[in-house]
Amino acid sequence: MRPNDILLHSVTKIATFIILTFSIYLFFAGHHNPGGGFIGGLATASVVVLLFLAFDVETVKKYLPLDFQLMTALGVLLAVLTGVGSFFFDAPFLSQTFDYFELPIFGEVELATAVLFDIGVAMAVIGTAVTIILSISEAD
Amino acid sequence: MNNLVILPIIIPFISGMIMVVFRKNITLQKWLGVIALLSTGFVAMMLMHQIKSEGIQSIQVGGWQAPFGITVVADMFAALLLVAAFLVALACFVYSFFTIGNDKEKHYYYPFFLFLMTGVNGSFLTGDMFNLFVFFEVMLISSYVLITLGGSKGQLRESFKYVLINVISSFLFLVALAYLYGVTGTLNMAHLSLRVAEAGQDGLLTTIAILFLIVFSLKAALLLFFWLPGSYSAPPTAVAAIFSALLTKVGIYAIFRVFTLIFYHEPQITHVLIGIMGALTMILGAIGAIAYWDIRKILAYNVIVSVGLIVAGLAAFTYSGLLGSIYYLIHDIIIKGLIFLIGGTVIALTGTAKLKEFSGLIRNHPYLGWMFFISALSLAGIPPLSGFVGKIFITRGTFEAELFWLGAIGFMTSLMVLYSVMKIFMNGFWGETNMSIEMEKGSTKRVILPIAFLTVLTIALGFGAEGIHDYVSIAVEGLLDPSIYIEAVFGNNPIP
């Protein structure tokens, strides 16, 4: 008989929201505080893994139709291409730049190309972590 | 600043990642791989030309000045190896089109091939010890995948040993780096060279140098080669060929870099130790090569012999010794790729690696047979072919340094190498033909192309040794005089 895991489901639904927020906070904190792409990506991956644990693989795949292998490749490509971008400005590979922008809600914000690199790292970490977990769980 | 220097690293990397994105489209992957390798080779040749006319090229990644950021440096030594690596990689890549099989292709074979090249090229070009470690790992992790891909029983057994050995040696590498950083406070190679020269290479630094020697010997199969024969016998032919052509060479490159640029102050300890290790490697490898009747084993032990010979040139540490080492290194990259491809083709034809089970292949496959004959002579160092120049200069170097025993062992093992490959030729290719074309398990139809390409190269390298002499001598001057390298890294910037 299948045990009734309504408690797990309910907690998961709330907890994923909190962990996801925390992981995004970690990601953006990286420049001035502890955090960054790697740990942010890992925290995001833990959300996906928690969903896999609470629900079954098919259900999660249905509502979260992401190809995690593709995500890894695109993340790494994004990270490298931000480095290649510096070729066009006659700067050495992986040079970064930043500037201050006036955004509608946030006010004056410092935007750096390092964030793009970090997004790449985060995508690669999420993709890799989830692919590992999924491959292990799918093997018979 | 010259962004060209970074391209040999990122071209294979980016194209490998694009292949992962288009993982279903095998045809696209093949074309993209060939284009990526060709453009890498083109860039490497451009770099060679630039280094010849303008001196060593370097780039400070991200614009951070030398000891603080990562420096990527292309000197002539690295550029020559890049070109050689490109040539053999192209041949192995094309060879794998016809042999690797649809199953492996679907599971990211081509992307990992290019990631392996990323690691190899990165190791050649980096100017930072920790970055060298990272590129070693890029190369090794791709090689773990390539050695296990397919998942046959033998592959899994051998890859387990291979991974275990390399994880341990990587760990030792990291410990050695920590010691080095603790003593000198820097990891940039040029800066390390200065700091070690200022502090004088005392007992502690020599100990660290020997720890590095142990680490790189594990990677390069210098005396610590116990893992190699098994691991190089397990994977498919194209993979075994690229492994034997490039992976140990990266370890040798690291030994050369570290012991010519950083730890060159106590040659009576470190370089003599390298010489002894090289001599033992040659003897033990040659014994292994003549002992077996299994093609894969014979060829794997031949990889080991050549490692010993190349470091003998470094042990001599004279102009001719290093000149010979570089010539032999370039020759060895090409010839090991070639001879493994031929060996693999023979095994594919006959369905067995045991020499006693087939003979007379030359009747049905004359081209393959004679190309094997040429590569066997080249491997042993018969004059017009490419192995000769390197061997003669290494021997001259060891005699100049009065290491007569080392030179003598080099000669003696050359004979044993010749015997071991001639054994394959005479038993496998001569004699009664006991296998008709219909009975053969494969064909040489298209795979003969990359083999012929490498054969032509080894002949050309032998006859054209004079032609690349300018480049090789620039490389040797760079190795003998670290100040050229240091100047290229720091330029006019203040050195902290």
Side-chain angles (χ1 to χ4, degrees):
Chain A
M1 198 190 115
R2 192 175 152 74
N4 194 344
D5 39 14
I6 183 157
L7 216 56
L8 180 63
H9 282 184
S10 318
V11 173
T12 304
K13 279 172 193 164
I14 301 165
T16 43
F17 188 70
I18 298 170
I19 303 172
L20 205 58
T21 317
F22 179 60
S23 70
I24 292 168
Y25 165 74
L26 271 179
F27 175 79
F28 282 112
H31 204 64
H32 297 292
N33 294 302
F38 186 80
I39 189 68
L42 218 51
T44 316
S46 76
V47 174
V48 184
V49 173
L50 180 65
L51 286 173
F52 278 132
L53 282 176
F55 305 92
D56 56 318
V57 175
E58 278 72 33
T59 319
V60 180
K61 274 191 174 164
K62 196 172 136 200
Y63 291 102
L64 199 68
L66 288 174
D67 183 340
F68 286 100
Q69 295 183 18
L70 191 66
M71 190 171 174
T72 314
L74 290 178
V76 177
L77 270 179
L78 178 64
V80 182
L81 290 178
T82 57
V84 175
S86 59
F87 284 13
F88 300 108
F89 301 98
D90 203 30
F93 177 67
L94 274 181
S95 295
Q96 56 144 338
T97 180
F98 63 94
D99 206 352
Y100 295 93
F101 293 93
E102 202 69 40
L103 292 184
I105 301 166
F106 301 100
E108 193 180 82
V109 178
E110 179 191 357
L111 292 179
T113 54
V115 177
L116 290 174
F117 186 87
D118 250 12
I119 290 174
V121 173
M123 279 169 73
V125 171
I126 298 167
T128 314
V130 177
T131 307
I132 291 173
I133 302 281
L134 272 184
S135 320
I136 294 174
S137 69
E138 278 167 2
D140 24 65
Chain B
M1 205 250 345
N2 179 4
N3 266 324
L4 213 57
V5 180
I6 202 85
L7 285 179
I9 306 175
I10 57 173
I11 290 173
F13 189 56
I14 292 176
S15 46
M17 278 299 164
I18 294 174
M19 285 180 187
V20 177
V21 174
F22 297 100
R23 67 197 127 164
K24 303 248 163 54
N25 194 339
I26 303 294
T27 322
L28 178 100
Q29 293 190 11
K30 287 178 180 172
W31 281 105
L32 191 61
V34 170
I35 292 167
L37 286 174
L38 280 176
S39 43
T40 314
F42 180 68
V43 170
M45 284 174 200
M46 270 171 73
L47 274 176
M48 256 173 75
H49 188 69
Q50 279 189 359
I51 296 165
K52 194 185 173 196
S53 54
E54 297 161 29
I56 297 176
Q57 301 291 310
S58 70
I59 171 181
Q60 316 290 345
V61 173
W64 304 100
Q65 267 320 315
F68 308 115
I70 292 169
T71 319
V72 180
V73 189
D75 65 343
M76 190 52 94
F77 184 36
L80 282 169
L81 292 182
L82 277 181
V83 173
F86 143 72
L87 291 169
V88 78
L90 187 66
C92 291
F93 196 74
V94 174
Y95 185 92
S96 56
F97 288 176
F98 315 118
T99 55
I100 206 70
N102 199 250
D103 195 34
K104 292 192 181 85
E105 279 176 343
K106 269 193 212 148
H107 287 92
Y108 304 110
Y109 172 79
Y110 297 121
F112 275 102
F113 194 99
L114 286 180
F115 295 153
L116 185 83
M117 290 312 295
T118 310
V120 170
N121 292 351
S123 310
F124 288 153
L125 286 177
T126 184
D128 183 280
M129 286 305 276
F130 192 79
N131 212 231
L132 180 69
F133 171 78
V134 174
F135 278 119
F136 261 91
E137 289 307 301
V138 170
M139 177 186 86
L140 287 172
I141 290 172
S142 327
S143 74
Y144 299 158
V145 177
L146 288 176
I147 201 175
T148 41
L149 200 62
S152 72
K153 204 173 159 191
Q155 275 180 308
L156 291 182
R157 186 184 59 232
E158 295 304 334
S159 65
F160 188 76
K161 297 178 200 165
Y162 179 73
V163 172
L164 193 64
I165 284 295
N166 278 306
V167 167
I168 291 171
S169 74
S170 296
F171 166 71
L172 283 176
F173 194 173
L174 215 49
V175 172
L177 282 174
Y179 286 157
L180 190 63
Y181 188 68
V183 174
T184 60
T186 182
L187 284 172
N188 185 296
M189 288 183 192
H191 200 209
L192 271 173
S193 175
L194 282 175
R195 285 259 164 110
V196 171
E198 280 166 15
Q201 193 178 330
D202 57 355
L204 195 57
L205 277 168
T206 309
T207 314
I208 296 170
I210 291 171
L211 187 54
F212 272 110
L213 180 62
I214 292 171
V215 170
F216 295 138
S217 304
L218 268 169
K219 314 266 188 201
L222 174 65
L223 192 58
L224 308 170
F225 58 71
F226 47 88
W227 54 272
L228 188 140
S231 311
Y232 282 20
S233 306
T237 306
V239 176
I242 196 81
F243 276 21
S244 56
L246 292 180
L247 294 200
T248 55
K249 307 303 179 291
V250 175
I252 296 172
Y253 169 83
I255 293 178
F256 269 76
R257 186 57 84 209
V258 166
F259 285 95
T260 56
L261 183 63
I262 303 172
F263 300 115
Y264 57 90
H265 302 283
E266 295 278 353
Q268 69 276 21
I269 301 174
T270 48
H271 289 65
V272 167
L273 184 67
I274 292 174
I276 294 169
M277 288 171 83
L280 286 173
T281 313
M282 280 191 272
I283 295 171
L284 294 173
I287 292 174
I290 56 176
Y292 282 97
W293 284 86
D294 181 308
I295 295 180
R296 288 178 186 276
K297 283 271 176 351
I298 295 174
L299 298 183
Y301 276 100
N302 270 312
V303 175
I304 296 166
V305 181
S306 63
V307 174
L309 188 69
I310 294 167
V311 297
L314 176 65
F317 208 46
T318 59
Y319 180 83
S320 351
L322 289 174
L323 191 73
S325 287
I326 295 175
Y327 264 121
Y328 202 77
L329 201 51
I330 298 167
H331 147 80
D332 202 54
I333 288 177
I334 289 166
I335 200 76
K336 285 289 142 51
L338 170 60
I339 207 152
F340 265 75
L341 287 185
I342 299 181
T345 310
V346 169
I347 294 169
L349 284 175
T350 57
T352 174
K354 296 194 176 63
L355 269 181
K356 290 184 174 163
E357 288 178 11
F358 62 91
S359 63
L361 277 180
I362 201 141
R363 199 176 304 272
N364 291 331
H365 303 283
Y367 294 119
L368 191 70
W370 291 116
M371 282 197 268
F372 183 82
F373 184 69
I374 290 171
S375 57
L377 292 186
S378 180
L379 192 66
I382 304 295
L385 299 162
S386 61
F388 172 69
V389 195
K391 269 188 186 170
I392 203 75
F393 276 118
I394 290 174
T395 315
R396 192 170 143 188
T398 53
F399 282 14
E400 276 171 8
E402 302 195 334
L403 300 167
F404 298 109
W405 49 278
L406 197 56
I409 290 170
F411 265 136
M412 197 179 69
T413 49
S414 291
L415 282 177
M416 290 159 90
V417 164
L418 183 62
Y419 170 74
S420 73
V421 278
M422 275 304 144
K423 187 164 78 178
I424 300 180
F425 184 69
M426 291 171 68
N427 285 289
F429 286 96
W430 284 1
E432 284 295 311
T433 307
N434 61 357
M435 200 174 266
S436 65
I437 289 186
E438 291 77 42
M439 284 161 69
E440 283 170 357
K441 315 264 189 307
S443 85
T444 58
K445 217 163 144 196
R446 283 169 299 184
V447 297
I448 205 86
L449 270 174
I451 295 174
F453 171 65
L454 286 180
T455 314
V456 170
L457 269 180
T458 181
I459 297 171
L461 194 61
F463 282 101
E466 191 73 40
I468 63 165
H469 183 269
D470 285 353
Y471 296 98
V472 179
S473 62
I474 292 172
V476 176
E477 280 154 23
L479 289 182
L480 282 174
D481 184 7
S483 63
I484 303 174
Y485 187 95
I486 295 166
E487 199 178 324
V489 172
F490 286 108
N492 299 321
N493 301 304
I495 301 164

